[in-house]
Structure formats: C-alpha cells, structure tokens
Amino acid sequence: MHKENNLQGRDFLSLQDFSAAEIRVLLALAKDLKSRQKKGGLQPLLAGKTLAMIFEKPSTRTRISFEVGMWQLGGTALFLSSQELQMGRGEPIKDTAAVLSRYVDGIMIRTFDHAVVQELARYASVPVVNGLTDLLHPCQILADLLTIEEKMGRLQGVKVAYTGDGNNVAHSLLLGCSKMGLNLAVATPPSHRPLPGVVAQALANAEQSGSKVFITNDPLEAVKNADVIYTDVWTSMGQEKEQAARRKIFAPYQINSNLVKTAGPEALIMHCLPAYRGEEITAQVLEGKQSVVLDQAENRLHAQKALLALLMGTARG
Ligand code: CP
Ligand code: NVA
C-alpha cells in the first residue's frame, strides 16, 4: 500500500513507539486543526470512516473528545461498552479484533491490562489506539504536550514536576517528556514509584533528547524551579478498594498553595481530570489563575483529531 505519511496504518499504544519527529508532526497538525476549527472550518479528513470505541472503564473526556473529533473530521464513532459486546461474555480479543476490522477503520480501547490492547493491535488489521490502560495513557500526554507548547512557546528544556501516584499518567508523562526534551521530576511515596522498566525507557530517551529525568520521594524538591506542576488522582479506576489507604499514603503529595509557592507564580498547574478536590489537589489551586486543566481537556480533542487523521486517513503532517 502506498502511504501518504509514515503514521498511516500505525497503532498508537505508547508514546515510546513514536519518534520525537513523529510526535512533532502530530503536534503540528493538532495546532493547525485547532486554529482551523476556531475559524469555523470543517476538515473532512476522515469522511466516511468509522472508529469503534471499546470502553471497559468509565470516561468523560476520552469518549466525548474521540466521538466529537470523528464527527468533526467527517466520520463517525461507535461507543461500545465491553459489557454489551460478546467480549464481555468471553469472546476472545483476537476474534473481536478481526471482526471489528471488517467493519471499521480504527479501534480505540480503554481497558485494564495493557496486554489486552497489545493483543487487540496484534490481531486487528486497522489502527488501534490506547485510550488508557493500567500502564499508560498516551492520548492524555499528547494533548498535554500540545498544551505546554501553546503556553510556554517551547517543549525543550521546560521543567515539569509530577507529584502523587506513579501510575499510568505518570508513566506516559515520563515517556513523553523524555522523548521531547522536557525535564521531569517525579515525586511519589517509595511504595508507589513508577515502574522501573518505564523509568529505564525514560532515562534512555533522555540520553537522546538531552532531557533530565529525576525520581524522588520529596514533592518540595521536585517542584523547585518547575514550569509545570502536574498531578493525577490517588486512586485510579480499578483501585477503589484501596482508597482509604491511598488517602493516607499520598497526603504529603497534595498540590496546595504551599507547594505551588515553591515553584512560583508563573508555574502552570496541570491535571488530566477527573480531579478530587481536597485529595490530590485543593479546590483553590485547581480553580486558580495558574491552572490550565480546561485547556488540557480541550486539547484532547485537537490532539486526537490529528492522531486519527494521520493513522486512519491520508493527511500529511
Ligand atoms: N483524562 C481522561 O482520560 O478523562 P476521562 O477518564 O474522563 O476520559
Ligand atoms: N490514573 C487515572 C487517570 C484517569 C484519566 C485512572 O487510571 O483512573
């Protein structure tokens, strides 16, 4: 098949599978689509195409931004709850992948085990997009890179401090920042550090990009001189039984006005949402002047439109 761009037909399971140059192409198209949409123009880059969206966990932003994004690109999206698919009754992933590939042009999935997305991608003949697993949340970080670039005018050398749980968002942030030359300090309790394998990948990326990656237990140390302070929920989807214990473990990692003061009045406050006020972030900081959380949420739409147009369509970056 002749390919219009080298992202066409690819899966998007992890930022690690894409080069810095390819991520720059995605971000540039996202910016372009965003500015064209603001001027009121429709961009039918995926006219007649269909995206299947399988959800095994709840979602507000991911579901709506993918659905609206497909519509704005002239295509359509199908919301498929795994409970209502035969997959929920035990139909193998590989059969689901092969059958869906006969109907649709792309599959987005939000699930628990990362191996499920990998298996789906292995057996699907259409691009598969990771809409969040227990391990990674690459679509979120793609949108966040767009937000940081818009606000700071650059990515290279920007210092991001992440405080809280070493979870899926922390993992994708590690991979995305280290690829794109941002410096990242991650502060977590010793018991909830990011996985060593992901940290090793980030350190290897950092060697290439010139970024600095630093893991600590101390949130104050992490946020020193930070341009961006980022956090996420303490209890991720699927961990609800641990909620009470997690509230205690993560209490010193809350983003509050004291922590923000350490970074300074210019630091951007980021959170992928949903947020739990009074847990990982105070209401004052979440809703304060430095917060860009709604820009992050909006940019899910623009970043994913670029992603879908490049993977499923013939758009050029
Ligand atoms: N940030 C994010 O992925 O939000 P949803 O869970 O609402 O999709
Ligand atoms: N870490 C969170 C992110 C939600 C968007 C979770 O997995 O629930």
Side-chain angles (χ1 to χ4, degrees), residues 55 58-65 110 131-132 137 140 169 237 271-274 300:
F55 283 91
S59 168
T60 297
R61 282 143 288 268
T62 303
R63 175 182 175 179
I64 297 169
S65 55
R110 165 169 288 196
L132 179 146
H137 196 2
Q140 180 66 51
V169 169
M237 291 179 277
H271 190 309
C272 59
L273 303 180
R300 294 291 303 275

mmCIF file of all heavy atoms in Angstrom, residues 55 58-65 110 131-132 137 140 169 237 271-274 300, ligand 1:
data_model
loop_
_atom_site.group_PDB
_atom_site.id
_atom_site.type_symbol
_atom_site.label_atom_id
_atom_site.label_comp_id
_atom_site.label_asym_id
_atom_site.label_seq_id
_atom_site.Cartn_x
_atom_site.Cartn_y
_atom_site.Cartn_z
ATOM 1 N N PHE A 55 -15.015 0.531 25.608
ATOM 2 C CA PHE A 55 -14.756 1.020 26.969
ATOM 3 C C PHE A 55 -15.014 -0.071 27.991
ATOM 4 O O PHE A 55 -16.131 -0.555 28.115
ATOM 5 C CB PHE A 55 -15.626 2.246 27.286
ATOM 6 C CG PHE A 55 -15.109 3.507 26.653
ATOM 7 C CD1 PHE A 55 -15.541 3.895 25.387
ATOM 8 C CD2 PHE A 55 -14.173 4.293 27.302
ATOM 9 C CE1 PHE A 55 -15.047 5.051 24.785
ATOM 10 C CE2 PHE A 55 -13.669 5.450 26.710
ATOM 11 C CZ PHE A 55 -14.106 5.833 25.458
ATOM 12 N N PRO A 58 -15.097 3.670 32.890
ATOM 13 C CA PRO A 58 -15.842 4.895 32.566
ATOM 14 C C PRO A 58 -14.958 5.957 31.897
ATOM 15 O O PRO A 58 -13.730 5.875 31.960
ATOM 16 C CB PRO A 58 -16.307 5.413 33.939
ATOM 17 C CG PRO A 58 -16.003 4.347 34.927
ATOM 18 C CD PRO A 58 -14.974 3.445 34.338
ATOM 19 N N SER A 59 -15.591 6.948 31.307
ATOM 20 C CA SER A 59 -14.854 8.055 30.684
ATOM 21 C C SER A 59 -15.788 9.213 30.389
ATOM 22 O O SER A 59 -16.925 9.005 29.974
ATOM 23 C CB SER A 59 -14.232 7.592 29.369
ATOM 24 O OG SER A 59 -13.754 8.703 28.642
ATOM 25 N N THR A 60 -15.293 10.413 30.584
ATOM 26 C CA THR A 60 -15.989 11.615 30.094
ATOM 27 C C THR A 60 -15.198 12.190 28.921
ATOM 28 O O THR A 60 -15.655 12.214 27.778
ATOM 29 C CB THR A 60 -16.142 12.650 31.226
ATOM 30 O OG1 THR A 60 -16.966 12.084 32.236
ATOM 31 C CG2 THR A 60 -16.779 13.947 30.716
ATOM 32 N N ARG A 61 -13.971 12.649 29.205
ATOM 33 C CA ARG A 61 -13.177 13.337 28.194
ATOM 34 C C ARG A 61 -12.807 12.447 27.000
ATOM 35 O O ARG A 61 -12.942 12.856 25.841
ATOM 36 C CB ARG A 61 -11.865 13.881 28.818
ATOM 37 C CG ARG A 61 -12.064 15.144 29.609
ATOM 38 C CD ARG A 61 -11.174 15.145 30.818
ATOM 39 N NE ARG A 61 -11.703 14.190 31.763
ATOM 40 C CZ ARG A 61 -12.568 14.495 32.739
ATOM 41 N NH1 ARG A 61 -12.916 15.734 32.920
ATOM 42 N NH2 ARG A 61 -13.070 13.580 33.548
ATOM 43 N N THR A 62 -12.327 11.257 27.277
ATOM 44 C CA THR A 62 -11.836 10.406 26.184
ATOM 45 C C THR A 62 -12.985 10.058 25.240
ATOM 46 O O THR A 62 -12.872 10.226 24.025
ATOM 47 C CB THR A 62 -11.185 9.138 26.777
ATOM 48 O OG1 THR A 62 -10.144 9.568 27.667
ATOM 49 C CG2 THR A 62 -10.607 8.247 25.692
ATOM 50 N N ARG A 63 -14.084 9.625 25.813
ATOM 51 C CA ARG A 63 -15.211 9.244 24.970
ATOM 52 C C ARG A 63 -15.690 10.419 24.124
ATOM 53 O O ARG A 63 -15.852 10.324 22.909
ATOM 54 C CB ARG A 63 -16.372 8.741 25.829
ATOM 55 C CG ARG A 63 -17.572 8.457 24.955
ATOM 56 C CD ARG A 63 -18.782 8.011 25.701
ATOM 57 N NE ARG A 63 -19.879 7.884 24.747
ATOM 58 C CZ ARG A 63 -21.082 7.486 25.079
ATOM 59 N NH1 ARG A 63 -21.368 7.160 26.304
ATOM 60 N NH2 ARG A 63 -22.020 7.404 24.152
ATOM 61 N N ILE A 64 -15.899 11.557 24.793
ATOM 62 C CA ILE A 64 -16.532 12.670 24.078
ATOM 63 C C ILE A 64 -15.569 13.298 23.078
ATOM 64 O O ILE A 64 -15.961 13.637 21.958
ATOM 65 C CB ILE A 64 -17.092 13.681 25.094
ATOM 66 C CG1 ILE A 64 -18.179 12.959 25.921
ATOM 67 C CG2 ILE A 64 -17.667 14.914 24.394
ATOM 68 C CD1 ILE A 64 -18.647 13.705 27.128
ATOM 69 N N SER A 65 -14.294 13.421 23.456
ATOM 70 C CA SER A 65 -13.353 14.047 22.516
ATOM 71 C C SER A 65 -13.130 13.167 21.286
ATOM 72 O O SER A 65 -13.024 13.684 20.165
ATOM 73 C CB SER A 65 -12.035 14.397 23.206
ATOM 74 O OG SER A 65 -11.469 13.261 23.833
ATOM 75 N N ARG A 110 -10.251 1.466 25.859
ATOM 76 C CA ARG A 110 -9.863 1.781 27.249
ATOM 77 C C ARG A 110 -10.092 0.517 28.063
ATOM 78 O O ARG A 110 -11.223 0.018 28.125
ATOM 79 C CB ARG A 110 -10.701 2.944 27.788
ATOM 80 C CG ARG A 110 -10.605 3.075 29.296
ATOM 81 C CD ARG A 110 -11.189 4.356 29.820
ATOM 82 N NE ARG A 110 -10.332 5.490 29.486
ATOM 83 C CZ ARG A 110 -10.427 6.681 30.074
ATOM 84 N NH1 ARG A 110 -11.345 6.908 31.005
ATOM 85 N NH2 ARG A 110 -9.619 7.654 29.727
ATOM 86 N N GLY A 131 -6.718 4.125 24.637
ATOM 87 C CA GLY A 131 -7.471 5.189 25.314
ATOM 88 C C GLY A 131 -7.333 5.132 26.824
ATOM 89 O O GLY A 131 -8.165 5.703 27.520
ATOM 90 N N LEU A 132 -6.328 4.467 27.314
ATOM 91 C CA LEU A 132 -5.928 4.305 28.727
ATOM 92 C C LEU A 132 -5.919 2.836 29.102
ATOM 93 O O LEU A 132 -6.882 2.109 28.849
ATOM 94 C CB LEU A 132 -6.842 5.074 29.698
ATOM 95 C CG LEU A 132 -6.550 4.986 31.213
ATOM 96 C CD1 LEU A 132 -6.901 6.296 31.919
ATOM 97 C CD2 LEU A 132 -7.309 3.839 31.861
ATOM 98 N N HIS A 137 -1.282 6.126 29.474
ATOM 99 C CA HIS A 137 -2.370 6.983 28.967
ATOM 100 C C HIS A 137 -1.779 7.955 27.925
ATOM 101 O O HIS A 137 -1.698 9.156 28.148
ATOM 102 C CB HIS A 137 -3.011 7.739 30.132
ATOM 103 C CG HIS A 137 -4.347 8.344 29.821
ATOM 104 N ND1 HIS A 137 -4.980 8.196 28.601
ATOM 105 C CD2 HIS A 137 -5.183 9.107 30.580
ATOM 106 C CE1 HIS A 137 -6.137 8.837 28.628
ATOM 107 N NE2 HIS A 137 -6.285 9.392 29.808
ATOM 108 N N GLN A 140 -3.582 11.257 26.573
ATOM 109 C CA GLN A 140 -3.574 12.369 27.524
ATOM 110 C C GLN A 140 -2.281 13.172 27.396
ATOM 111 O O GLN A 140 -2.308 14.406 27.325
ATOM 112 C CB GLN A 140 -3.705 11.812 28.952
ATOM 113 C CG GLN A 140 -3.699 12.892 30.018
ATOM 114 C CD GLN A 140 -4.912 13.787 29.926
ATOM 115 O OE1 GLN A 140 -6.034 13.306 29.874
ATOM 116 N NE2 GLN A 140 -4.700 15.099 29.880
ATOM 117 N N VAL A 169 -0.675 7.743 34.086
ATOM 118 C CA VAL A 169 -0.414 9.110 33.609
ATOM 119 C C VAL A 169 1.065 9.459 33.860
ATOM 120 O O VAL A 169 1.742 10.007 32.976
ATOM 121 C CB VAL A 169 -1.382 10.108 34.299
ATOM 122 C CG1 VAL A 169 -0.967 11.547 34.043
ATOM 123 C CG2 VAL A 169 -2.807 9.867 33.798
ATOM 124 N N MET A 237 -8.897 4.152 38.392
ATOM 125 C CA MET A 237 -10.019 3.243 38.121
ATOM 126 C C MET A 237 -9.554 1.795 38.304
ATOM 127 O O MET A 237 -8.518 1.402 37.766
ATOM 128 C CB MET A 237 -10.538 3.464 36.707
ATOM 129 C CG MET A 237 -11.231 4.807 36.556
ATOM 130 S SD MET A 237 -11.814 5.105 34.881
ATOM 131 C CE MET A 237 -10.343 5.722 34.073
ATOM 132 N N HIS A 271 -3.584 18.895 35.429
ATOM 133 C CA HIS A 271 -4.254 17.703 35.984
ATOM 134 C C HIS A 271 -5.059 17.127 34.826
ATOM 135 O O HIS A 271 -5.781 17.867 34.152
ATOM 136 C CB HIS A 271 -5.167 18.113 37.142
ATOM 137 C CG HIS A 271 -5.715 16.965 37.942
ATOM 138 N ND1 HIS A 271 -6.351 15.886 37.367
ATOM 139 C CD2 HIS A 271 -5.740 16.740 39.278
ATOM 140 C CE1 HIS A 271 -6.729 15.037 38.329
ATOM 141 N NE2 HIS A 271 -6.369 15.532 39.492
ATOM 142 N N CYS A 272 -4.976 15.807 34.623
ATOM 143 C CA CYS A 272 -5.655 15.233 33.456
ATOM 144 C C CYS A 272 -7.179 15.182 33.651
ATOM 145 O O CYS A 272 -7.898 15.022 32.681
ATOM 146 C CB CYS A 272 -5.108 13.845 33.172
ATOM 147 S SG CYS A 272 -5.318 12.711 34.549
ATOM 148 N N LEU A 273 -7.636 15.310 34.902
ATOM 149 C CA LEU A 273 -9.059 15.222 35.266
ATOM 150 C C LEU A 273 -9.574 13.804 35.012
ATOM 151 O O LEU A 273 -9.080 13.152 34.104
ATOM 152 C CB LEU A 273 -9.914 16.250 34.511
ATOM 153 C CG LEU A 273 -9.492 17.718 34.678
ATOM 154 C CD1 LEU A 273 -10.443 18.610 33.860
ATOM 155 C CD2 LEU A 273 -9.492 18.161 36.143
ATOM 156 N N PRO A 274 -10.519 13.278 35.761
ATOM 157 C CA PRO A 274 -11.264 13.981 36.814
ATOM 158 C C PRO A 274 -10.392 14.249 38.043
ATOM 159 O O PRO A 274 -9.483 13.471 38.337
ATOM 160 C CB PRO A 274 -12.386 12.991 37.163
ATOM 161 C CG PRO A 274 -11.809 11.639 36.837
ATOM 162 C CD PRO A 274 -10.940 11.857 35.645
ATOM 163 N N ARG A 300 -7.419 17.516 24.240
ATOM 164 C CA ARG A 300 -7.641 16.108 23.905
ATOM 165 C C ARG A 300 -8.287 16.025 22.516
ATOM 166 O O ARG A 300 -7.934 15.187 21.692
ATOM 167 C CB ARG A 300 -8.544 15.432 24.946
ATOM 168 C CG ARG A 300 -7.963 15.305 26.337
ATOM 169 C CD ARG A 300 -6.820 14.314 26.390
ATOM 170 N NE ARG A 300 -7.203 12.997 25.937
ATOM 171 C CZ ARG A 300 -7.783 12.054 26.686
ATOM 172 N NH1 ARG A 300 -8.003 12.288 27.960
ATOM 173 N NH2 ARG A 300 -8.096 10.865 26.188
HETATM 174 N N1 CP B 1 -8.416 12.437 31.376
HETATM 175 C C1 CP B 1 -9.236 11.448 30.965
HETATM 176 O O1 CP B 1 -8.843 10.498 30.307
HETATM 177 O O2 CP B 1 -10.547 11.629 31.320
HETATM 178 P P1 CP B 1 -11.734 10.577 31.160
HETATM 179 O O3 CP B 1 -11.484 9.456 32.148
HETATM 180 O O4 CP B 1 -12.962 11.372 31.507
HETATM 181 O O5 CP B 1 -11.761 10.063 29.758
#
